């Protein structure tokens, strides 16, 4: 099992989860974080740190968000590791309560 960053993270990018990860499995994109499923040790310490509830076990992905498991794996191979907390995006508070944000995911070129 692995943990997965879901749609709730898009355009928020809170990084509270990053600083507690013992294996540096988080990767940072322009407006989203992902978890490398090959590195995640299923310790679960990151999930409660996320203020928007964006991190869930792969066995509990919300309906319609199953594709985030593949997105996490794909982008983890492309984006750099992030191991220290940073400030969230400037308008994170606004986006924290927005749903249906997949169209706002800034993908790599």
């Amino acid at each position: 099992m692995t943990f997965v960053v879901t749609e709730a993270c898009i355009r928020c990018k809170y990084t509270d989860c990053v600083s507690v990860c013992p294996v540096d499995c988080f990767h940072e994109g322009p407006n989203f974080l992902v978890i490398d499923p090959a590195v995640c040790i299923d310790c679960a310490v990151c999930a409660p740190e996320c203020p928007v509830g964006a991190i869930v076990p792969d066995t509990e992905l919300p309906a319609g968000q199953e594709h985030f498991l593949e997105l996490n794996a794909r982008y983890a191979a492309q984006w750099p590791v992030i191991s220290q907390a940073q400030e969230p995006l400037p308008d994170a508070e606004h986006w924290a309560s927005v749903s249906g944000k997949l169209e706002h995911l800034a993908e790599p070129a």
Side-chain angles (χ1 to χ4, degrees), residues 13-79:
K13 204 166 86 169
Y14 290 101
T15 58
D16 307 64
C17 52
V18 169
S19 60
V20 298
C21 180
V23 294
D24 294 338
C25 69
F26 283 90
H27 292 253
E28 179 184 25
N31 67 354
F32 186 58
L33 298 176
V34 295
I35 292 174
D36 185 339
V39 177
C40 178
I41 60 171
D42 188 29
C43 68
V45 298
C46 60
E49 296 299 318
C50 181
V52 295
I55 303 171
V56 299
D58 62 353
T59 56
E60 297 177 23
L61 281 163
Q65 293 200 36
E66 297 86 359
H67 60 286
F68 275 90
L69 179 58
E70 187 275 326
L71 284 177
N72 275 243
R74 181 174 2 133
Y75 294 143
Q78 298 174 25
W79 292 346

